[in-house]
Amino acid sequence: MSEPHPTSPIQMPKLYRELAPWYPLLTPVADYLEEAAFYRRLFEAHCQRRPQTLLDLGSGGGHNAAHLKAALACTLVDLEPTMLALSRRLNPECTHIQGDMRTLRLGRVFDCVLVHDAISYMSTRADLASVIATAYAHTAPGGVALLQPDFVLETFTPGTESGGSDGNGRGLRYLEWRWMPDAHAERYVTDMAYLLRDENGATQAVHDRHWMGLFPRAVWLQLIAAAGFEPLALPFEHSAYSDTGAEVFLGLRPVA
C-alpha cells in the first residue's frame, strides 16, 4: 500500500505515543467545530464536483472527522497506531489506515484531501514535497486538497500559550513555548510542558519537544504548483486566529 519510508524519520513526540490517551484533554473534540465548518465551506466552494469523499492525512485522534463525517465519507490515515485507536472509538463509521503520508498510495482518489496541522512536522522541503505529491495522487480531477500549516515563515511569532481541560475524572494543563534555535534553519521548536492529574488526584509533569518545519509562503505555493495543482492561499477564518495572519493553502486539481 505504501513505498519504503523516506530517509528522514519524523521525530514523533510523546503526545502521539505514550501520552495519546491524554490527547482528547489537550484538544477536545468540540474545539474543532468551527474550523471543520470552515474546511467544509472551502471544499464546497472550490471542488468542481459535489464533494462526497474525504481523505484525511495525519488524522490524529479524528477530531476534524468527527464534524466532517456527517457530510463526507471519511478515510483517515495516521502513522501512529495509538492515535488511530482513539479515532476508531470516536469515528467507528470511518475507514482507518495506518500509513506515512509522505509515501502512502491507496490506488484511489477522493473529492477532497485534508492535511491538517500534521503537515507542520515536515521539517525539510523534500518531506513537504512528498506530502503534497501524496495529496495530488489522491485528489480526483476537479477535486481539492487543503493544507493547513501552523505557520509559514512570514507569520511565525515566538511565544507561549497555555490551556487544557478536564474529563472523566482526569485533567490536563499545558504550557506551549515556541522558539527558533537557528534563524537560518527552516524549522522551529515547540516545547510542551504537560501537567497531568489522574483519577486519584495524583499529578505528573512531562516535557515533550516538537520539531516543526517553517517555510516561506512562496515555497508552499511553488511546491503545490510543482505537484500539478493550481495553488491558492486563503486566510484561515477562525475566531481564535483572526489577527494572526494565518493561512490555509489549497491545491486545485485540474479536471483534465
Side-chain angles (χ1 to χ4, degrees), residues 37-227:
F38 171 61
Y39 300 149
R40 180 177 172 182
R41 290 196 302 272
L42 287 183
F43 289 139
E44 292 174 346
H46 293 277
C47 195
Q48 297 183 53
R49 49 200 286 153
R50 187 167 73 89
Q52 300 182 76
T53 58
L54 170 72
L55 175 65
D56 187 347
L57 297 171
S59 54
H63 291 189
N64 276 308
H67 303 290
L68 292 170
K69 63 188 180 184
L72 299 164
C74 298
T75 297
L76 312 183
V77 175
D78 201 87
L79 188 60
E80 284 302 313
T82 49
M83 298 303 288
L84 288 171
L86 288 176
S87 183
R88 286 190 181 99
R89 289 197 289 271
L90 179 63
N91 303 302
E93 62 273 74
C94 297
T95 299
H96 291 81
I97 298 171
Q98 183 184 3
D100 188 324
M101 62 183 175
R102 296 171 293 181
T103 57
L104 184 81
R105 295 295 183 270
L106 297 177
R108 59 169 295 201
V109 294
F110 300 79
D111 302 320
C112 311
V113 175
L114 173 64
V115 195
H116 189 232
D117 54 4
I119 202 167
S120 296
Y121 290 99
M122 301 302 109
S123 59
T124 69
R125 294 191 185 194
D127 280 349
L128 180 58
S130 294
V131 173
I132 296 171
T134 296
Y136 183 83
H138 294 92
T139 303
V144 180
L146 191 159
L147 314 172
Q148 167 100 54
D150 286 336
F151 297 97
V152 296
L153 180 62
E154 292 86 351
T155 62
F156 178 77
T157 55
T160 60
E161 296 180 19
S162 60
S165 66
D166 302 318
N168 297 322
R170 304 188 305 163
L172 177 151
R173 297 296 183 272
Y174 71 85
L175 174 67
E176 173 186 319
W177 180 16
R178 300 183 307 274
W179 57 283
M180 291 183 68
D182 182 348
H184 300 290
E186 293 186 325
R187 62 179 186 167
Y188 67 98
V189 174
T190 299
D191 278 314
M192 299 288 292
Y194 311 114
L195 188 62
L196 312 174
R197 187 193 67 223
D198 68 18
E199 297 87 342
N200 300 314
T203 60
Q204 62 171 316
V206 180
H207 169 250
D208 200 14
R209 174 161 286 183
H210 303 241
W211 287 94
M212 323 291 275
L214 189 63
F215 308 102
R217 180 183 297 106
V219 168
W220 281 87
L221 295 171
Q222 289 165 6
L223 292 177
I224 293 169

